[in-house]
Amino acid sequence: MTRAGALAVVLALAGCATQPHPPHVGVYAGSGGRVTTSVGSGVGPVSVGVNNHGGGYLGTSLGPVSLGAGF
């Protein structure tokens, strides 16, 4: 699936979500010891954010399942 297709799916599913996304900050340790930090917030059912490497994401939650796509 292309990035555009993945983003379209996330946006379509965001319309079905009912939980708001509060602001959040994250710190993640990846393979090879690479550390990534991120910050995000929500607008309605859609969550958007960026990380310290210049990447971003768009996501939503459907109950206990979170779906997202990076760009």
Side-chain angles (χ1 to χ4, degrees):
M1 181 180 290
T2 65
R3 285 185 182 183
L7 289 174
V9 169
V10 169
L11 287 174
L13 291 173
C16 302
T18 58
Q19 293 179 320
H21 298 274
H24 56 276
V25 175
V27 177
Y28 310 95
S31 60
R34 184 176 179 186
V35 175
T36 300
T37 58
S38 68
V39 62
S41 185
V43 178
V46 178
S47 177
V48 293
V50 296
N51 66 31
N52 64 312
H53 300 292
Y57 67 89
L58 177 65
T60 189
S61 291
L62 299 171
V65 178
S66 294
L67 301 171
F71 54 91

